Amino acid sequence: MFIMLLSACSSTKISSNSPDAINDGPYIDINADQLTSHWVCNDKYLKKSYSIDTANVDACGLSAQVHDLVFSDKLIEYNGNFNIVALSDMHGQFDLSVELMRNNGIIDENNDWSYGDGHFVITGDVFDRGAKVTEILWLLYKLDKQAELAGGKLHLLLGNHEVMVLNGDLRYLHKKYQKVSELLDTPFEKLFTSNSLLGRWLRSKPVLAKVNGYLFAHGGFHPDLAKHHFTLSDVNDLFKANLVKSELNSPRQGWGKYMHKTNGPIWYRGYFKDDGASHDEINMLLKHFDVKKVVVGHTSQKQIETRYEGKVIAIDTSIKRGKYGEVLFIENDVLYRGTLNGEKHPL
């Protein structure tokens, strides 16, 4: 449902006494008649309750706009007369990601949607490594609704780090979030349960999208998927049905297990290995899925690059290092690299 804009509860002022103090949140739980927001403000736990129809929550200099509480994102294929922009692997680098999106016309100076009816594809890995994951999640959640209202679309695809966090694999978690977990006295993955707003939103997201004939995923597609005649819906449905191990009635098995292993769509690196997919296998994949090109993140590059004579496009431009990043533009089937300062270069 869509939540109408109403006044939010007044925020509590907490002064910061230490330059190293942590502020983080909100982590919002959805209850029958209210929203419960959990924050860390100046290294202290703050809990606030709001009416179920609240539109904004804020505390200690951090805010979030609340709109949808129920999500349905069943479509994985889109066609139309619109432009596409894509990026990958933001890994908690909020400031750099915002600079990149602003300079390339995706958002404006207020971090609101400015890409009109265009489609913005993010091929996963918002989580881990960096210290501003929460800020990115709330920004994308806001842009998701703003894009829809403008006639566009934001496609957030699941990457291996989203799935790792949802499953409690926290080996790459930034130390800030280790402390947040301690201060909230909650395992970090439990902040994203299906009863939480962000957790519910993330669970609605697909692992792939086909947009105007371009196939997007985090890692890629092993040739076996074409050889065994899987459709894109098969891949997405099997992956999503086995998303969070603790929520399953039985262990992952068969192809459901395969989708979450090395050759599955969030882990596969076969486009970047000498002994990986062959040119013939890439052609088979493109023909089987009826796509022009495959666009993936996951494997870091210095800039957007292509493989297999341009049939595979690598868009993980090492944003995780906090220094540089690029976006891919697809405009009337012409491809461009969008640089950090907003320049466009043909790919």
Side-chain angles (χ1 to χ4, degrees):
M1 62 180 174
F2 180 70
I3 304 301
M4 298 299 292
L5 295 180
L6 296 174
S7 298
C9 298
S10 61
S11 77
T12 303
K13 300 289 186 180
I14 295 183
S15 60
S16 178
N17 299 318
S18 168
D20 298 322
I22 289 177
N23 293 322
D24 186 46
Y27 299 95
I28 299 177
D29 293 330
I30 304 171
N31 306 301
D33 59 352
Q34 68 176 19
L35 304 176
T36 304
S37 182
H38 308 273
W39 310 76
V40 171
C41 291
N42 193 29
D43 286 349
K44 297 187 183 301
Y45 172 42
L46 173 64
K47 178 179 178 181
K48 301 174 70 175
S49 295
Y50 299 84
S51 65
I52 197 70
D53 55 4
T54 294
N56 298 281
V57 300
D58 63 277
C60 54
L62 297 170
S63 63
Q65 295 181 13
V66 179
H67 47 78
D68 294 320
L69 301 181
V70 177
F71 306 96
S72 178
D73 210 349
K74 299 292 186 182
L75 287 178
I76 56 172
E77 184 170 350
Y78 299 81
N79 294 285
N81 184 26
F82 51 77
N83 292 327
I84 303 168
V85 63
L87 66 74
S88 190
D89 293 75
M90 288 185 276
H91 281 300
Q93 296 290 350
F94 175 80
D95 297 327
L96 179 60
S97 299
V98 164
E99 181 182 1
L100 179 62
M101 288 187 280
R102 283 181 181 176
N103 289 346
N104 283 282
I106 303 168
I107 59 175
D108 63 20
E109 61 183 8
N110 297 315
N111 295 346
D112 290 321
W113 180 261
S114 62
Y115 199 54
D117 65 353
H119 284 225
F120 179 25
V121 186
I122 301 157
T123 60
D125 278 11
V126 169
F127 279 91
D128 290 336
R129 304 189 191 279
K132 290 189 177 181
V133 171
T134 316
E135 289 88 339
I136 295 177
L137 289 171
W138 282 115
L139 173 59
L140 297 182
Y141 169 83
K142 178 185 75 169
L143 293 176
D144 201 351
K145 174 56 68 175
Q146 290 182 339
E148 178 186 329
L149 293 174
K153 180 71 178 176
L154 182 144
H155 306 270
L156 175 60
L157 308 183
L158 296 172
N160 60 301
H161 285 267
E162 280 71 51
V163 178
M164 288 168 70
V165 167
L166 291 176
N167 283 279
D169 183 345
L170 308 178
R171 73 184 94 162
Y172 297 105
L173 194 66
H174 191 278
K175 61 182 180 181
K176 168 187 171 180
Y177 294 106
Q178 296 173 5
K179 188 171 182 181
V180 166
S181 178
E182 293 172 3
L183 292 168
L184 296 181
D185 193 26
T186 304
F188 188 69
E189 69 273 18
K190 297 300 183 184
L191 299 174
F192 299 95
T193 68
S194 58
N195 290 324
S196 73
L197 195 157
L198 289 178
R200 187 178 290 182
W201 177 66
L202 287 168
R203 280 166 176 76
S204 75
K205 297 307 177 186
V207 73
L208 59 90
K210 180 180 175 183
V211 186
N212 283 352
Y214 292 82
L215 181 54
F216 296 85
H218 182 65
F221 301 89
H222 192 281
D224 279 352
L225 298 176
K227 292 174 183 176
H228 285 84
H229 307 292
F230 281 96
T231 67
L232 294 177
S233 293
D234 292 336
V235 174
N236 189 61
D237 291 347
L238 269 170
F239 187 92
K240 293 297 295 296
N242 291 274
L243 184 59
V244 182
K245 289 183 285 186
S246 64
E247 298 172 5
L248 304 179
N249 294 324
S250 59
R252 295 171 181 159
Q253 52 188 318
W255 284 103
K257 184 176 181 180
Y258 176 99
M259 295 299 173
H260 285 268
K261 291 295 186 179
T262 302
N263 291 331
I266 63 172
W267 287 106
Y268 184 58
R269 295 190 194 271
Y271 307 146
F272 305 96
K273 295 181 177 180
D274 292 338
D275 60 348
S278 68
H279 282 268
D280 286 344
E281 287 173 328
I282 293 298
N283 290 332
M284 176 185 65
L285 279 169
L286 297 181
K287 182 178 180 180
H288 174 73
F289 291 125
D290 188 25
V291 295
K292 304 169 186 176
K293 301 178 188 293
V294 177
V295 184
V296 297
H298 191 46
T299 302
S300 297
Q301 317 292 328
K302 291 183 179 179
Q303 62 183 42
I304 292 174
E305 297 183 0
T306 65
R307 298 288 189 277
Y308 299 93
E309 300 174 339
K311 296 170 185 174
V312 173
I313 307 171
I315 63 168
D316 176 357
T317 53
S318 303
I319 294 172
K320 64 186 179 187
R321 298 190 175 97
K323 296 180 180 180
Y324 185 72
E326 294 186 348
V327 296
L328 171 71
F329 284 104
I330 304 173
E331 301 175 351
N332 297 316
D333 274 343
V334 180
L335 279 60
Y336 303 91
R337 293 167 38 230
T339 67
L340 182 60
N341 63 9
E343 295 178 350
K344 273 187 181 179
H345 300 286
L347 187 61

